[in-house]
Structure formats: C-alpha cells, structure tokens
Amino acid sequence: MSSLSKNLSELTTKQIYFFDLDGTIYLGDKLFEGVIDLIELLRAKGKNFYFLSNNSSISTNDYLKKLNNFNLNITRENLILSQHPTIDYLKKNKIKKIFLLGTQSLKQEFTQEDFELTEEDPEILVLAFDKELTYDRLVKATQFLLKDNLAYIATHLDNKCPTENSYIPDAGGIAALLYKATDRMPRVFGKPNKDMLLFKLEQLGIVPKDSVMVGDRLYTDIKMGKEAGVTTCCVLSGEITLEMIKNSEYKPDFIINGIWELLEEFNKI
Ligand SMILES: [Mg+2]
C-alpha cells in the first residue's frame, strides 16, 4: 500500500473536522474502530466536528438516535445533512406543497418543518433517497415532470450507497431512471455542493484551510472539499480504491485506510 500518505501530521492541526458518515464513520450498523475515541479526543482539544451525509433516507432526529446509539453523544448542531440546505431553499422560496419521493422518516421531518406533503397539486417535486419507493410513485413523478413540467429538486444524487453487503441504489440511481423516462434532471443541494461546508465555515469565521473534509467518495466528498478550498482526506474503508483515485480528476490531499489512522496520528502527539 505504498500510495497511502506517509506524513499525516498536518491533519492534527485543523480547527474543524468534517466527516462523511456512510463508508467513513460506519458501514450500515457497524461503527469503525477508533471513532468514539477520536470524537472524545477532538472534543477534549476544543476542535469543532461535523458529520455530513447525503443520505436523506433518515431524518435528522433518526440520525441523532442512530449516532448516539453508538455512544457518540452528539447534538443536532453536529449534523449537516443534505435535507438541510434543501429545506432551507424551499423555505426561502416560500414553497409549501411538495410531492416528496422519500421515506416515512424523512416525510416526518418535512411535516415537522411545516410543509404540506401532497399527491395531488404540488408546487415542486423533491427527490430524496427513497428506500420505500413504489412503481406507482414513479408513475406519478413521471407524470408531474412531463405533463405539468413541475419544478424538480433533489437532496443529493449519489448513484449507490455502500452497505455491509455490497451496494444499494441511491437517489442518483432513482434520478437516472426518471431521466430515462422524462429527459429531466433535478437541481441538487447536498454534496458535492460546496455550500454544505462553506456556510458552516462562514458561521464560525474559520478559513477553509483550517479545516479538513474526510470522506470515502471522490465525486462528492473530495470534489466538494477541493471546491470549498478545505484540505481533503480520502479513506479507503468505503467506496474508493487506490486505482480509482489514480484515474480520477479529484485527487485528495491525503489517503488513509480508515478513520482509525487519524486517531493513531493524534495519539503520536
Ligand atoms: Mg460515504
């Protein structure tokens, strides 16, 4: 594994740590080694840390439950999810009635945020990671997009989602299916949109180079980090192999096997 980064000391000097979730912090229900100790260490050192996910099949509340079941003791403040900038956009544009391709968990979040979920006369179609999708709803979505030329946005467009047992089709896969039927693609709010990182940096008054984005995907995590001007670190515990990095236009600043190597580096100090 000679292509892995040798000198990781720069990674311990940052003020903000952005972590992708699926494939970086855990795979499905299996938390990677070292995560709990790393988070405790960052907290003790007064560093800021955020968990970012495009996976909008889970509501903010359910993410909190999931992460705190791993004993990470985090709050809503530590989460940046693709539904957050999406909901922000809808509110800013005063859009209320939504046809949502999403799970019950996400529907609850939208309802709590005062949106009206409708099957009849929506103002917009919002595509999320809908693990409860039926053919009947694909038909409705297709008809809204073709017949009514309805406005169309997506929380994110990852093609596939890593699980303990290979991959499952993600929102990008669903969008591809709708594209074949309608010739339309949605506007996207989650990763790799660099605003996912920049709004937090601006809020805290931290310059991009004092932060690092750690993730397992080149076309979302690493692309977004590079475009935002933050240091990027790719883990090989999820979707990406060294071969894929070699062939990609998005080259991370650092490559490590997994998040546990970041903990090892902090323990050297
Ligand atoms: Mg990931």
Side-chain angles (χ1 to χ4, degrees), residues 25-262:
I25 294 295
Y26 52 67
L27 260 188
D29 290 321
K30 186 180 158 287
L31 191 71
F32 286 124
E33 186 194 325
V35 173
I36 291 176
D37 289 344
L38 176 65
I39 294 307
E40 275 176 14
L41 191 146
L42 292 176
R43 210 178 258 131
K45 287 183 178 293
K47 312 258 191 193
N48 304 74
F49 57 90
Y50 300 95
F51 297 107
L52 279 85
S53 182
N54 268 359
N55 185 343
S56 58
S57 69
I58 307 171
S59 71
T60 305
N61 280 339
D62 288 342
Y63 260 113
L64 269 180
K65 275 185 213 150
K66 174 169 181 160
L67 288 166
N68 285 333
N69 276 340
F70 290 132
N71 292 321
L72 290 175
N73 300 318
I74 62 151
T75 68
R76 181 172 282 263
E77 173 60 21
N78 298 110
L79 287 175
I80 303 176
L81 307 174
S82 67
Q83 60 261 43
H84 296 164
T86 308
I87 286 172
D88 193 52
Y89 167 84
L90 293 168
K91 286 188 170 173
K92 274 184 186 149
N93 287 281
K94 303 196 175 10
I95 299 168
K96 271 276 183 199
K97 292 170 142 187
I98 296 168
F99 181 77
L100 178 63
L101 289 180
T103 58
Q104 283 306 323
S105 176
L106 187 71
K107 282 176 179 167
Q108 256 178 21
E109 180 163 0
F110 271 72
T111 306
Q112 279 164 5
E113 295 282 350
D114 275 340
F115 293 106
E116 183 189 329
L117 301 182
T118 176
E119 305 286 305
E120 299 303 325
D121 54 347
E123 296 166 78
I124 197 165
L125 192 165
V126 179
L127 169 68
F129 184 1
D130 189 355
K131 291 182 176 173
E132 294 150 20
L133 185 65
T134 61
Y135 189 76
D136 186 46
R137 303 210 83 231
L138 281 170
V139 170
K140 277 191 179 157
T142 300
Q143 289 172 348
F144 281 136
L145 292 178
L146 282 180
K147 215 167 65 182
D148 305 324
N149 197 29
L150 196 66
Y152 180 25
I153 64 174
T155 54
H156 66 296
L157 281 186
D158 296 24
N159 295 323
K160 53 185 181 173
C161 178
T163 69
E164 301 99 316
N165 188 15
S166 189
Y167 294 95
I168 55 175
D170 205 322
I174 301 170
L177 190 154
L178 286 172
Y179 176 74
K180 286 286 184 183
T182 67
D183 259 332
R184 293 187 58 189
M185 284 298 279
R187 173 174 173 180
V188 185
F189 290 89
K191 299 183 283 189
N193 189 332
K194 64 183 177 184
D195 290 339
M196 285 274 278
L197 301 177
L198 291 180
F199 89 94
K200 188 54 74 181
L201 291 168
E202 276 162 25
Q203 212 176 64
L204 298 170
I206 304 278
V207 294
K209 67 174 178 50
D210 283 342
S211 65
V212 57
M213 174 69 218
V214 185
D216 70 315
R217 276 193 180 155
L218 298 173
Y219 71 92
T220 55
D221 302 317
I222 304 305
K223 180 181 183 204
M224 170 180 65
K226 292 191 98 63
E227 286 179 358
V230 314
T231 301
T232 52
C233 178
C234 189
V235 292
L236 300 179
S237 51
E239 191 177 301
I240 292 303
T241 61
L242 282 176
E243 189 65 20
M244 288 159 86
I245 296 172
K246 213 172 80 187
N247 294 323
S248 172
E249 60 183 298
Y250 307 113
K251 299 273 190 284
D253 300 305
F254 294 92
I255 305 168
I256 57 179
N257 282 308
I259 194 83
W260 52 90
E261 292 188 355
L262 186 54

Side-chain angles (χ1 to χ4, degrees), residues 12-26:
T12 63
T13 65
K14 306 294 180 183
Q15 178 55 39
I16 301 190
Y17 291 78
F18 292 111
F19 298 111
D20 165 58
L21 285 172
D22 279 309
T24 300
I25 294 295
Y26 52 67

